[in-house]
Amino acid sequence: QVQLVESGGGLVQAGGSLRLSCAASTTIFSINAAIWYRQAPGKQREWVAAFTSGGATNYADSVKGRFAISRDNAQDTVYLQMDNLKPEDTAVYYCNLEIRQSIGGRKQSYWGQGTQVTVSS
């Protein structure tokens, strides 16, 4: 069973940067698509960044130009580079990956455990 392990969260001052990682716990065949979400206290979970099976990347307007999603296929890892962080970016960040575990296997969706990002003003 694949598990996703998130890391990279922490406390940073406004204007700073963090890079979140979302790594598969076992060797997989491919990451088909990925979405990063976040949930701030008292708010609904919202999507932040994504890449599709076709390779396109999309960003929420609130993070466009500041965040970048990428992946390392050799490491079975997806990243979220966050630059010029703002206090309103404070939230728990979750990754959601669509993974194919083996050649010819079906695609399945997995969630990371979440990582806290706190941006101080």
Side-chain angles (χ1 to χ4, degrees):
Q1 181 72 4
V2 177
Q3 292 185 326
L4 300 182
V5 180
E6 295 188 40
S7 60
L11 173 64
V12 65
Q13 287 189 328
S17 297
L18 286 172
R19 188 178 78 158
L20 306 183
S21 299
C22 175
S25 61
T26 61
T27 301
I28 60 175
F29 176 66
S30 66
I31 299 171
N32 191 60
I35 306 174
W36 283 96
Y37 292 87
R38 67 186 180 187
Q39 187 165 19
K43 295 188 177 181
Q44 288 190 328
R45 188 173 295 188
E46 61 176 355
W47 80 275
V48 173
F51 68 75
T52 68
S53 58
T57 55
N58 297 288
Y59 299 93
D61 288 343
S62 58
V63 306
K64 203 170 291 183
R66 299 187 298 120
F67 290 13
I69 187 171
S70 63
R71 63 178 157 180
D72 183 334
N73 291 326
Q75 299 294 323
D76 296 332
T77 300
V78 173
Y79 301 98
L80 184 67
Q81 177 68 42
M82 306 185 295
D83 297 322
N84 190 22
L85 283 160
K86 303 177 180 180
E88 52 263 43
D89 295 319
T90 295
V92 178
Y93 284 70
Y94 299 90
C95 60
N96 174 223
L97 305 190
E98 185 179 75
I99 289 172
R100 199 186 299 274
Q101 285 189 253
S102 60
I103 297 174
R106 64 187 180 96
K107 293 176 288 186
Q108 292 180 279
S109 177
Y110 296 90
W111 285 88
Q113 82 280 10
T115 186
Q116 176 70 47
V117 171
T118 303
V119 185
S120 63
S121 57

